[in-house]
Amino acid sequence: MSDPVKRSIFYGRRQGRPLRKKATELVETVLPKISVPTGDLDDIKLIDLDNLFGNSGREVWLEIGFGGGEHLAWQAEHNPEVNFIGAEYFINGVASLLGHLDDNGAQNVRIYRGDVRDMLPFLPPSSLSKVFILFPDPWHKARHNKRRIVQRETLDRLAELLVDGGELRMATDDMGYLQWMLERTVPHPDFEWIAASKQDWNQRTEDWPKTRYEEKGIKKGCKPGYLRFTRLPRS
């Protein structure tokens, strides 16, 4: 067996208020059944997605930092023919997603509880058709910018994982972070901005439901930005 993988340093909360009884039960009984096995990461081998989901030939979509899980649960319910992986470190968010899945009955979701940067190296190349990074922590202070999930190295890896024509969706209600996203993704050689006009950044598509964090921001007067990029064909 190879040496265990060195895990990324995670910044931010791991747990908030204590979980309620039903949430605790879901975490204890359901989460183990639909978790991405962390043993795969320690053994340094690619995750077998067909085995993970118990089927083959389906598209796989990834949501990075799914928050309360509203968006991921909606996508899973409305796209039952797609396999979903959700990555989230915050246990309260994981419990929230489990509650949504319990309500809508979706069976096509697997959860990685941890820093997604630790999982990305173990996904097979060209295995993802869509990736969502919605309202990530903006880390406002300049000295904390390195903690932002949208970095050149992350985009490089996502470009390797996305199929040709695959889609990367990002959203934020922090205009500084929106500029940061554009400055790193627009010039990236493997991505092309999907926009009929440069004003499309403030419009969601019909298959893009709101998240709880998005609604909170809107109530506070924040104006969200929505970005869609396609993975350019490999030469």
Side-chain angles (χ1 to χ4, degrees):
M1 180 182 295
S2 303
D3 293 334
V5 177
K6 182 179 179 181
R7 304 286 175 162
S8 300
I9 298 175
F10 177 78
Y11 300 96
R13 296 186 302 166
R14 290 167 172 77
Q15 182 167 352
R17 66 182 62 181
L19 300 179
R20 295 182 178 181
K21 181 179 179 181
K22 181 179 179 181
T24 299
E25 291 175 351
L26 290 173
V27 169
E28 292 177 348
T29 61
V30 178
L31 181 59
K33 298 177 183 178
I34 64 172
S35 288
V36 176
T38 55
D40 285 347
L41 309 190
D42 290 335
D43 292 340
I44 313 183
K45 60 184 179 183
L46 293 180
I47 297 171
D48 186 335
L49 295 177
D50 292 344
N51 182 63
L52 178 65
F53 288 96
N55 53 48
S56 60
R58 290 186 172 189
E59 290 187 8
V60 179
W61 298 3
L62 168 67
E63 182 162 350
I64 296 175
F66 54 74
E70 300 89 359
H71 175 271
L72 180 52
W74 187 96
Q75 293 289 358
E77 181 181 11
H78 289 78
N79 298 280
E81 75 289 351
V82 175
N83 291 331
F84 290 85
I85 297 176
E88 176 61 59
Y89 212 118
F90 192 42
I91 188 60
N92 298 68
V94 172
S96 178
L97 172 61
L98 292 172
H100 290 304
L101 297 178
D102 186 55
D103 290 338
N104 69 21
Q107 301 290 317
N108 52 340
V109 176
R110 299 295 180 266
I111 297 174
Y112 177 69
R113 193 201 165 192
D115 190 320
V116 73
R117 295 173 299 172
D118 294 327
M119 182 184 67
L120 293 181
F122 303 99
L123 291 175
S126 301
S127 60
L128 303 178
S129 296
K130 196 170 290 188
V131 176
F132 305 93
I133 305 177
L134 308 181
F135 301 94
D137 195 324
W139 293 107
H140 296 102
K141 296 181 180 179
R143 68 175 183 272
H144 292 159
N145 284 172
K146 63 182 179 181
R147 300 180 182 181
R148 291 176 168 176
I149 187 62
V150 179
Q151 305 283 353
R152 174 59 190 247
E153 54 267 31
T154 306
L155 294 172
D156 288 345
R157 181 56 184 160
L158 292 179
E160 294 174 352
L161 295 175
L162 281 164
V163 300
D164 289 358
E167 185 177 344
L168 169 63
R169 292 188 181 185
M170 298 187 289
T172 181
D173 57 12
D174 181 276
M175 292 300 100
Y177 202 177
L178 182 71
Q179 182 177 349
W180 173 284
M181 291 174 170
L182 289 170
E183 288 175 347
R184 280 148 186 79
T185 315
V186 170
H188 195 288
D190 295 326
F191 290 101
E192 182 176 65
W193 190 4
I194 305 173
S197 72
K198 299 308 179 183
Q199 299 303 316
D200 282 0
W201 64 268
N202 61 0
Q203 300 293 326
R204 283 185 297 112
T205 57
E206 292 183 356
D207 63 343
W208 193 333
K210 289 182 180 179
T211 70
R212 180 177 60 186
Y213 295 108
E214 177 181 356
E215 290 179 335
K216 284 183 178 179
I218 292 174
K219 289 180 180 179
K220 293 179 180 179
C222 299
K223 188 175 183 180
Y226 310 95
L227 303 175
R228 299 172 61 218
F229 292 87
T230 188
R231 206 295 179 198
L232 293 170
R234 293 163 173 80
S235 56

